[in-house]
Amino acid sequence: MEKQLEKKVVIDVEDLYKIYRVGEEKVRALDGVSFKVFEGEFVAIVGTSGSGKSTLLNMMAGLEPPTKGHISISGKNIEKLKENQLVSLRRKRVGFIFQSFNLIGSMNAEENVALPLMFRGVSKETRIKKAREMLEVVGLSKHRKHIPTQMSGGQQQRVGIARALVVNPSIIFADEPTGNLDSVTTSEILDLLRELVNEQGKTLVMVTHDKELADVADKVIHIKDGKITKIEIKKENIENEKIEEV
Amino acid sequence: MKFKDILGLSLGNLKRRKWRTVLTVTGVFIGTISVVIMLSLGYGLKQSMTEQINSFGSMNDIMVYYDGSDSSMQITDDKLSEWEELPFVSSLYPELVIPVDMEQGKWALSVIIIGLPEDILSEIPIGEGRMPSVANGELELIMGNQMICDVYNKNTYEYPYWDNNQLADFDFLNDTVYSKFTKESSVKVDDNGNLVNTARKKIIPIVAMVEGGVEEYSKYSYAAYAELDILKNYIKKVYKGEAIPGQPTDRNGNPLNYWVYLMATVRVSDKDMVEDAVAYFREMGYRVDNSQEWLEETESMLNIVQLVLGGIGAVALLVAAIGITNTITMSIYERRKEIGIMKVLGCDISDIGGMFISEAAFIGFLGGVVGVILSYLLSFILNVVAGPMASIALEMSDATLSVIPFWLPFVAIAFATMIGMLAGYFPARKATRMSPLLAIRNE
Ligand SMILES: Nc1ncnc2c1ncn2[C@@H]1O[C@H](COP(=O)(O)OP(=O)(O)O)[C@@H](O)[C@H]1O
Ligand SMILES: [Mg+2]
């Protein structure tokens, strides 16, 4: 408990709504969501398909504006920011891991990992050097010259993780990072993510529809029909366990 | 993002879609060739025309003509001395024009002898022969290089040159040429009722030919030239108080005691004053001719021709621009997911736009460079193959059909690049507005 109090709030979501209009119908993808994510926390957002997990994650990453409510990242409100300000925020603070990896098909592993550094204007030698370091962290040093089609799904996702990490972001978002992987690879990737949080002190928000996968997290946010039904704090991952009923 | 990296990404992309790039570049270089060649034809025409006009006389010379109507406007030696005092006049000289008939064997021709002051006479470019000597006061002639064309057979009235495209075997320099001046007293009616000139034949030596072949026209091609004062004395002696052709007479039909010139050439001291000088003589009622004026008129006409030609080329370039827009739009459509990923990964929006604009600019640049190179080739071929034909059509010796000014290739490449950028601008803007969510959604 004491340890949590010391920690800084990195993401603060307050009364968030997202309403899609599909023809005449209104879809409440998010229906009044509030929670906090602390520094160095591994948070899993769990819910069935269509429950609004991706919508929530995308809004936290500034990819989509909320209909109503507030999101602040490191104390800064982002819901009113312009697109180029959001892009700049992501470039400086945020790493993103995709379900379908989303590597650039024409680039090899090393170039893919170096890409976010290129966007930052880092020189070629420096960014390739850093990309190699990251590939070593995710255990892919041997594959740095491979293009995506020459790698397995698990390897591609490792490249995706290295790419998210290379800019040394304070927050990493991952939307179903193991959704396209088999069970063995899935646990490998989850172990890797857990390791990153433990060893590098990153804040990680991961979306998954699989409750079991969420066990790896420190905090699990259960979501259903756009509403949070339960927030669990896992005991085995941090000292104190507590279940908040919402 | 570094400019180098933006360029690198665009180039990589163009390389990946080689075939499409080649096709689009082809459109641009065809457009560039059209513009460059069309403009070069205009410049070629301009240059040929300018050279031709220059061959008619110096830009600083204005020709003042007396039309014979108002005797107070007669150009006389007195008037010339007056004009000489005008501030813009650096020098001036009259032209005395005397007609004469020449004969040699069966050949005959009518010649205009133009009397010029010695220093002007010496400006005539001489081919074969020597300059007339002035010192001994003997009348000697320089013959125009195209006068041979006017020689006819006095029995059949056939012109070998104009009728059969052959040259009469009449050697002005070495044959004995007889000259006859037409006097009132010498013209008689013969038994058949024809007018004949019974004047005594004289021999006036022809000592030089004007430089140039039979086909090379210059302002000295179609007359004979002699020193003005010697010609005056000679003619006075020939006509001995009778009316001289071309010279006005008094009320009783007697010749005047002074010379009247039909034309005087006024050399203006400063090129910028030519316009004022022309206006000055026009004001007085003289007809005035000046190459510069003519050149300006011709130039403004050729500018329009060039504009039209350039416009035709520009249409081709416009079509190429549409091709570029199309290619970039396709490229963006294909890579919309990639664009989304880049946005999620924090790529600046302006960098994304810059990537596609530089892709378009590079297509334009490449098309421009290839177009310029091919334009030089085409220009060369045009001049070699079609140049001689054009010379005949435009009645010019040695017309250059296509001239590419030194700055045109640079402007053409810059222009093609700019067109590319412009053509890429709108699709690029579309790319920057695409939602990054495209990248996230799983299909
Ligand atoms: N762009 C959109 N337009 C309309 N409805 C949408 C859009 N995106 C998501 N939705 C709807 O919002 C709800 C939540 O979607 P999503 O956040 O993707 O769910 P999850 O990621 O949990 O599967 C779903 O009912 C989905 O159909
Ligand atoms: Mg989802």
Side-chain angles (χ1 to χ4, degrees), chain A residues 61-119:
Chain A
L63 301 174
E64 218 178 346
T67 309
K68 208 180 104 185
H70 303 285
I71 305 167
S72 71
I73 301 288
S74 311
K76 191 176 182 184
N77 269 333
I78 66 160
E79 70 269 4
K80 294 252 157 55
L81 295 184
K82 299 223 166 54
E83 198 188 1
N84 51 356
Q85 292 172 307
L86 290 168
V87 168
S88 154
L89 183 80
R90 282 198 293 275
R91 185 165 58 235
K92 286 172 192 147
R93 298 218 137 87
V94 176
F96 210 103
I97 302 167
F98 305 85
Q99 175 177 351
S100 48
F101 325 131
N102 282 337
L103 303 180
I104 306 292
S106 56
M107 295 179 178
N108 64 30
E110 172 175 283
E111 288 165 341
N112 263 292
V113 174
L115 198 59
L117 292 174
M118 188 198 274
F119 298 155

Side-chain angles (χ1 to χ4, degrees), chain B residues 227-291:
Chain B
E227 201 283 323
L228 181 63
D229 290 327
I230 296 175
L231 182 64
K232 278 181 187 170
N233 288 334
Y234 190 90
I235 293 301
K236 253 188 234 166
K237 260 183 246 161
V238 168
Y239 284 89
K240 280 191 224 114
E242 277 191 64
I244 301 166
Q247 292 293 317
T249 51
D250 65 15
R251 243 178 268 126
N252 306 321
N254 293 322
L256 304 170
N257 58 356
Y258 55 86
W259 292 93
V260 173
Y261 308 105
L262 293 181
M263 196 262 259
T265 300
V266 177
R267 192 154 288 178
V268 178
S269 48
D270 187 346
K271 208 176 166 179
D272 296 333
M273 286 161 82
V274 169
E275 213 172 308
D276 293 341
V278 168
Y280 176 81
F281 288 108
R282 283 224 172 107
E283 193 94 324
M284 290 200 293
Y286 290 99
R287 190 165 73 75
V288 180
D289 251 7
N290 167 245
S291 299

Side-chain angles (χ1 to χ4, degrees), chain A residues 20-22 27 29 48-56 64 207, chain B residues 441:
Chain A
Y20 291 110
R21 230 172 272 271
V22 184
V27 179
T48 52
S49 179
S51 56
K53 310 178 296 289
S54 293
T55 306
L56 179 58
E64 218 178 346
V207 158
Chain B
R441 249 173 236 140

Side-chain angles (χ1 to χ4, degrees), chain A:
Chain A
M1 216 37 183
E2 292 136 341
K3 192 172 185 183
Q4 257 195 24
L5 285 175
E6 289 166 23
K7 291 206 165 180
K8 262 203 308 210
V9 176
V10 179
I11 303 171
D12 192 355
V13 175
E14 221 178 293
D15 206 22
L16 200 65
Y17 288 84
K18 181 72 187 183
I19 298 167
Y20 291 110
R21 230 172 272 271
V22 184
E24 288 291 289
E25 243 180 295
K26 282 182 183 172
V27 179
R28 288 173 171 265
L30 285 180
D31 198 5
V33 174
S34 303
F35 64 91
K36 286 183 173 62
V37 176
F38 296 95
E39 193 173 33
E41 212 172 24
F42 186 160
V43 176
I45 299 172
V46 186
T48 52
S49 179
S51 56
K53 310 178 296 289
S54 293
T55 306
L56 179 58
L57 195 77
N58 293 345
M59 281 193 299
M60 286 191 282
L63 301 174
E64 218 178 346
T67 309
K68 208 180 104 185
H70 303 285
I71 305 167
S72 71
I73 301 288
S74 311
K76 191 176 182 184
N77 269 333
I78 66 160
E79 70 269 4
K80 294 252 157 55
L81 295 184
K82 299 223 166 54
E83 198 188 1
N84 51 356
Q85 292 172 307
L86 290 168
V87 168
S88 154
L89 183 80
R90 282 198 293 275
R91 185 165 58 235
K92 286 172 192 147
R93 298 218 137 87
V94 176
F96 210 103
I97 302 167
F98 305 85
Q99 175 177 351
S100 48
F101 325 131
N102 282 337
L103 303 180
I104 306 292
S106 56
M107 295 179 178
N108 64 30
E110 172 175 283
E111 288 165 341
N112 263 292
V113 174
L115 198 59
L117 292 174
M118 188 198 274
F119 298 155
R120 289 182 160 198
V122 175
S123 76
K124 188 162 182 175
E125 305 82 69
T126 315
R127 65 181 190 245
I128 290 297
K129 194 175 138 252
K130 278 206 170 166
R132 284 180 187 174
E133 280 168 26
M134 280 307 133
L135 284 171
E136 205 175 321
V137 169
V138 298
L140 266 186
S141 287
K142 279 188 197 138
H143 298 76
R144 58 192 162 93
K145 293 291 177 197
H146 289 215
I147 60 165
T149 49
Q150 297 167 332
M151 290 184 280
S152 72
Q155 288 168 334
Q156 286 187 57
Q157 193 59 299
R158 280 168 192 272
V159 175
I161 291 168
R163 181 175 65 182
L165 287 173
V166 79
V167 291
N168 196 24
S170 47
I171 307 164
I172 299 167
F173 294 110
D175 193 349
E176 310 256 14
T178 58
N180 289 5
L181 302 175
D182 61 59
S183 57
V184 178
T185 324
T186 293
S187 61
E188 278 173 22
I189 291 293
L190 288 177
D191 289 346
L192 176 61
L193 291 176
R194 182 70 248 181
E195 212 179 285
L196 291 173
V197 174
N198 290 352
E199 286 172 16
Q200 299 191 17
K202 305 280 180 214
T203 307
L204 177 69
V205 181
M206 178 183 82
V207 158
T208 175
H209 64 274
D210 191 333
K211 275 195 181 110
E212 284 177 36
L213 298 188
D215 285 345
V216 76
D218 304 322
K219 185 195 266 181
V220 182
I221 298 172
H222 295 264
I223 187 166
K224 196 181 173 219
D225 296 331
K227 287 193 169 83
I228 293 176
T229 53
K230 179 165 82 170
I231 297 180
E232 289 178 76
I233 314 278
K234 296 275 180 186
K235 191 185 177 185
E236 57 271 32
N237 298 326
I238 49 172
E239 298 92 277
N240 21 18
E241 179 181 9
K242 190 184 136 204
I243 297 175
E244 289 175 38
E245 294 290 345
V246 182

Side-chain angles (χ1 to χ4, degrees), chain B residues 303-347:
Chain B
N303 279 340
I304 294 169
V305 170
Q306 202 164 30
L307 217 64
V308 170
L309 289 177
I312 294 169
V315 169
L317 211 52
L318 181 75
V319 173
I322 293 169
I324 295 179
T325 304
N326 188 46
T327 293
I328 300 301
T329 306
M330 262 166 78
S331 171
I332 286 166
Y333 182 77
E334 280 170 5
R335 287 192 295 160
R336 62 199 190 286
K337 182 155 181 150
E338 212 172 291
I339 296 165
I341 296 169
M342 288 182 171
K343 275 192 178 180
V344 176
L345 296 181
C347 180

